[in-house]
Short mmCIF file of all heavy atoms in Angstrom, two decimals:
data_model
loop_
_atom_site.label_atom_id
_atom_site.label_comp_id
_atom_site.label_asym_id
_atom_site.label_seq_id
_atom_site.Cartn_x
_atom_site.Cartn_y
_atom_site.Cartn_z
N VAL A 16 0.84 -1.21 0.00
CA VAL A 16 0.00 0.00 0.00
C VAL A 16 0.87 1.25 0.00
O VAL A 16 0.56 2.24 -0.67
CB VAL A 16 -0.96 -0.01 1.21
CG1 VAL A 16 -1.70 1.33 1.31
CG2 VAL A 16 -1.96 -1.15 1.09
N GLY A 17 1.98 1.20 0.73
CA GLY A 17 2.90 2.33 0.73
C GLY A 17 3.46 2.60 -0.66
O GLY A 17 3.60 3.76 -1.09
N HIS A 18 3.78 1.53 -1.39
CA HIS A 18 4.23 1.68 -2.78
C HIS A 18 3.14 2.30 -3.64
O HIS A 18 3.40 3.23 -4.41
CB HIS A 18 4.62 0.31 -3.35
CG HIS A 18 4.76 0.30 -4.84
ND1 HIS A 18 5.86 0.83 -5.50
CD2 HIS A 18 3.92 -0.16 -5.82
CE1 HIS A 18 5.69 0.70 -6.80
NE2 HIS A 18 4.53 0.10 -7.02
N ALA A 19 1.91 1.78 -3.51
CA ALA A 19 0.80 2.30 -4.31
C ALA A 19 0.51 3.75 -3.99
O ALA A 19 0.19 4.55 -4.87
CB ALA A 19 -0.45 1.44 -4.09
N LEU A 20 0.64 4.12 -2.70
CA LEU A 20 0.42 5.49 -2.28
C LEU A 20 1.45 6.42 -2.91
O LEU A 20 1.11 7.48 -3.46
CB LEU A 20 0.49 5.57 -0.75
CG LEU A 20 0.21 6.93 -0.10
CD1 LEU A 20 -1.22 7.37 -0.34
CD2 LEU A 20 0.49 6.85 1.40
N SER A 21 2.71 6.02 -2.88
CA SER A 21 3.78 6.83 -3.45
C SER A 21 3.68 6.92 -4.97
O SER A 21 4.08 7.92 -5.57
CB SER A 21 5.14 6.26 -3.05
OG SER A 21 5.30 6.26 -1.65
N ALA A 22 3.17 5.86 -5.59
CA ALA A 22 3.06 5.82 -7.05
C ALA A 22 1.74 6.41 -7.55
O ALA A 22 1.45 6.36 -8.76
CB ALA A 22 3.19 4.38 -7.55
N ASP A 23 0.94 6.96 -6.64
CA ASP A 23 -0.35 7.60 -6.98
C ASP A 23 -1.28 6.62 -7.69
O ASP A 23 -1.94 6.96 -8.67
CB ASP A 23 -0.11 8.84 -7.87
CG ASP A 23 -1.33 9.75 -7.92
OD1 ASP A 23 -2.12 9.72 -6.96
OD2 ASP A 23 -1.49 10.49 -8.92
N LEU A 24 -1.36 5.39 -7.17
CA LEU A 24 -2.23 4.36 -7.75
C LEU A 24 -3.56 4.24 -7.02
O LEU A 24 -4.48 3.59 -7.51
CB LEU A 24 -1.53 3.00 -7.73
CG LEU A 24 -0.25 2.86 -8.57
CD1 LEU A 24 0.34 1.46 -8.37
CD2 LEU A 24 -0.54 3.11 -10.04
N LEU A 25 -3.66 4.82 -5.82
CA LEU A 25 -4.89 4.68 -5.02
C LEU A 25 -6.01 5.54 -5.59
O LEU A 25 -5.76 6.62 -6.13
CB LEU A 25 -4.62 5.08 -3.57
CG LEU A 25 -3.56 4.28 -2.82
CD1 LEU A 25 -3.42 4.78 -1.39
CD2 LEU A 25 -3.87 2.80 -2.82
N PRO A 26 -7.27 5.10 -5.46
CA PRO A 26 -7.73 3.82 -4.89
C PRO A 26 -7.54 2.67 -5.88
O PRO A 26 -7.57 2.87 -7.10
CB PRO A 26 -9.22 4.08 -4.63
CG PRO A 26 -9.61 5.07 -5.69
CD PRO A 26 -8.40 5.96 -5.87
N LEU A 27 -7.38 1.47 -5.34
CA LEU A 27 -7.05 0.30 -6.15
C LEU A 27 -8.31 -0.48 -6.53
O LEU A 27 -8.43 -1.68 -6.29
CB LEU A 27 -6.08 -0.60 -5.39
CG LEU A 27 -4.74 0.06 -5.03
CD1 LEU A 27 -3.94 -0.82 -4.09
CD2 LEU A 27 -3.94 0.36 -6.29
N GLN A 28 -9.25 0.21 -7.16
CA GLN A 28 -10.54 -0.41 -7.49
C GLN A 28 -10.47 -1.38 -8.66
O GLN A 28 -11.32 -2.24 -8.80
CB GLN A 28 -11.58 0.68 -7.79
CG GLN A 28 -11.99 1.51 -6.59
CD GLN A 28 -12.99 2.57 -6.97
OE1 GLN A 28 -12.64 3.56 -7.60
NE2 GLN A 28 -14.24 2.37 -6.57
N LYS A 29 -9.47 -1.21 -9.52
CA LYS A 29 -9.35 -2.06 -10.71
C LYS A 29 -8.20 -3.04 -10.57
O LYS A 29 -7.54 -3.39 -11.55
CB LYS A 29 -9.17 -1.19 -11.95
CG LYS A 29 -10.37 -0.31 -12.28
CD LYS A 29 -10.16 0.45 -13.58
CE LYS A 29 -11.39 1.29 -13.93
NZ LYS A 29 -11.19 2.04 -15.19
N HIS A 30 -7.95 -3.47 -9.35
CA HIS A 30 -6.85 -4.39 -9.09
C HIS A 30 -7.31 -5.55 -8.22
O HIS A 30 -8.37 -5.49 -7.60
CB HIS A 30 -5.69 -3.67 -8.39
CG HIS A 30 -5.08 -2.57 -9.20
ND1 HIS A 30 -5.64 -1.32 -9.32
CD2 HIS A 30 -3.94 -2.54 -9.94
CE1 HIS A 30 -4.88 -0.56 -10.10
NE2 HIS A 30 -3.85 -1.28 -10.47
N ILE A 31 -6.49 -6.59 -8.20
CA ILE A 31 -6.75 -7.76 -7.37
C ILE A 31 -5.61 -7.88 -6.37
O ILE A 31 -4.43 -7.88 -6.76
CB ILE A 31 -6.83 -9.05 -8.21
CG1 ILE A 31 -7.88 -8.92 -9.31
CG2 ILE A 31 -7.15 -10.25 -7.32
CD1 ILE A 31 -7.79 -10.01 -10.36
N LEU A 32 -5.92 -7.96 -5.10
CA LEU A 32 -4.93 -8.20 -4.07
C LEU A 32 -4.83 -9.71 -3.84
O LEU A 32 -5.83 -10.35 -3.53
CB LEU A 32 -5.31 -7.51 -2.76
CG LEU A 32 -4.45 -7.86 -1.54
CD1 LEU A 32 -3.01 -7.39 -1.74
CD2 LEU A 32 -5.06 -7.27 -0.27
N VAL A 33 -3.63 -10.26 -4.01
CA VAL A 33 -3.41 -11.69 -3.79
C VAL A 33 -2.53 -11.86 -2.55
O VAL A 33 -1.44 -11.29 -2.47
CB VAL A 33 -2.76 -12.37 -5.01
CG1 VAL A 33 -2.58 -13.87 -4.76
CG2 VAL A 33 -3.62 -12.16 -6.26
N LEU A 34 -3.02 -12.65 -1.60
CA LEU A 34 -2.31 -12.90 -0.34
C LEU A 34 -1.76 -14.31 -0.35
O LEU A 34 -2.48 -15.27 -0.68
CB LEU A 34 -3.26 -12.71 0.84
CG LEU A 34 -3.96 -11.35 0.94
CD1 LEU A 34 -5.00 -11.38 2.06
CD2 LEU A 34 -2.95 -10.24 1.16
N SER A 35 -0.51 -14.46 0.04
CA SER A 35 0.14 -15.78 -0.03
C SER A 35 -0.37 -16.74 1.03
O SER A 35 -0.17 -17.95 0.91
CB SER A 35 1.66 -15.62 0.12
OG SER A 35 1.99 -15.08 1.39
N GLY A 36 -1.01 -16.22 2.07
CA GLY A 36 -1.50 -17.08 3.14
C GLY A 36 -2.98 -16.85 3.40
O GLY A 36 -3.78 -16.71 2.49
N ARG A 37 -3.32 -16.78 4.69
CA ARG A 37 -4.72 -16.61 5.06
C ARG A 37 -5.12 -15.14 4.98
O ARG A 37 -4.28 -14.24 4.92
CB ARG A 37 -4.96 -17.14 6.47
CG ARG A 37 -4.18 -16.41 7.56
CD ARG A 37 -4.39 -17.05 8.92
NE ARG A 37 -3.61 -16.40 9.96
CZ ARG A 37 -4.04 -15.35 10.65
NH1 ARG A 37 -5.24 -14.82 10.39
NH2 ARG A 37 -3.29 -14.81 11.59
N ALA A 38 -6.43 -14.92 4.99
CA ALA A 38 -6.97 -13.56 4.99
C ALA A 38 -7.53 -13.27 6.37
O ALA A 38 -8.54 -13.83 6.78
CB ALA A 38 -8.07 -13.42 3.94
N SER A 39 -6.85 -12.40 7.11
CA SER A 39 -7.27 -12.05 8.45
C SER A 39 -8.11 -10.78 8.41
O SER A 39 -8.20 -10.09 7.39
CB SER A 39 -6.05 -11.83 9.35
OG SER A 39 -5.31 -10.71 8.89
N PHE A 40 -8.71 -10.45 9.56
CA PHE A 40 -9.51 -9.23 9.67
C PHE A 40 -8.68 -8.01 9.28
O PHE A 40 -9.12 -7.17 8.50
CB PHE A 40 -10.01 -9.09 11.11
CG PHE A 40 -10.78 -7.82 11.38
CD1 PHE A 40 -12.16 -7.79 11.27
CD2 PHE A 40 -10.12 -6.65 11.73
CE1 PHE A 40 -12.87 -6.62 11.52
CE2 PHE A 40 -10.81 -5.48 11.97
CZ PHE A 40 -12.19 -5.47 11.87
N GLU A 41 -7.45 -7.92 9.82
CA GLU A 41 -6.67 -6.71 9.59
C GLU A 41 -6.26 -6.57 8.13
O GLU A 41 -6.20 -5.45 7.61
CB GLU A 41 -5.42 -6.68 10.47
CG GLU A 41 -4.74 -5.32 10.41
CD GLU A 41 -3.44 -5.25 11.16
OE1 GLU A 41 -2.74 -6.29 11.24
OE2 GLU A 41 -3.11 -4.17 11.65
N LEU A 42 -6.00 -7.67 7.44
CA LEU A 42 -5.62 -7.58 6.03
C LEU A 42 -6.79 -7.06 5.20
O LEU A 42 -6.61 -6.25 4.28
CB LEU A 42 -5.15 -8.93 5.52
CG LEU A 42 -3.84 -9.45 6.13
CD1 LEU A 42 -3.45 -10.79 5.51
CD2 LEU A 42 -2.73 -8.45 5.96
N VAL A 43 -7.99 -7.52 5.51
CA VAL A 43 -9.17 -7.01 4.79
C VAL A 43 -9.39 -5.53 5.11
O VAL A 43 -9.72 -4.72 4.25
CB VAL A 43 -10.42 -7.84 5.14
CG1 VAL A 43 -11.67 -7.24 4.48
CG2 VAL A 43 -10.25 -9.29 4.68
N GLN A 44 -9.16 -5.16 6.39
CA GLN A 44 -9.32 -3.76 6.79
C GLN A 44 -8.32 -2.87 6.06
O GLN A 44 -8.66 -1.79 5.57
CB GLN A 44 -9.14 -3.64 8.30
CG GLN A 44 -9.27 -2.22 8.84
CD GLN A 44 -7.93 -1.64 9.24
OE1 GLN A 44 -6.98 -2.37 9.51
NE2 GLN A 44 -7.84 -0.33 9.26
N LYS A 45 -7.07 -3.30 5.96
CA LYS A 45 -6.06 -2.53 5.26
C LYS A 45 -6.39 -2.44 3.76
O LYS A 45 -6.17 -1.40 3.13
CB LYS A 45 -4.68 -3.16 5.47
CG LYS A 45 -4.13 -2.98 6.89
CD LYS A 45 -2.77 -3.65 7.05
CE LYS A 45 -2.23 -3.49 8.47
NZ LYS A 45 -1.89 -2.08 8.79
N ALA A 46 -6.89 -3.53 3.19
CA ALA A 46 -7.28 -3.51 1.79
C ALA A 46 -8.43 -2.53 1.55
O ALA A 46 -8.44 -1.79 0.56
CB ALA A 46 -7.70 -4.92 1.34
N ALA A 47 -9.38 -2.50 2.48
CA ALA A 47 -10.50 -1.57 2.37
C ALA A 47 -10.01 -0.13 2.42
O ALA A 47 -10.52 0.75 1.70
CB ALA A 47 -11.52 -1.83 3.48
N MET A 48 -9.03 0.14 3.26
CA MET A 48 -8.47 1.49 3.36
C MET A 48 -7.86 1.93 2.04
O MET A 48 -7.83 3.12 1.72
CB MET A 48 -7.40 1.54 4.46
CG MET A 48 -7.95 1.38 5.87
SD MET A 48 -8.97 2.78 6.40
CE MET A 48 -7.72 4.04 6.63
#
């Protein structure tokens, strides 16, 4: 997200976030942000 913020890519509505492991509450919360 820090990379996307610096690269002026936010919001990431046309992207897919892929997580290598499980999806926890905080990861979904950070993705929503």
Side-chain angles (χ1 to χ4, degrees):
V16 173
H18 165 76
L20 183 64
S21 299
D23 197 26
L24 296 177
L25 300 181
L27 299 171
Q28 291 179 287
K29 295 184 178 180
H30 297 80
I31 305 167
L32 171 64
V33 182
L34 304 173
S35 63
R37 62 184 178 88
S39 65
F40 176 93
E41 190 185 31
L42 294 182
V43 175
Q44 180 253 338
K45 289 179 180 293
M48 291 293 288

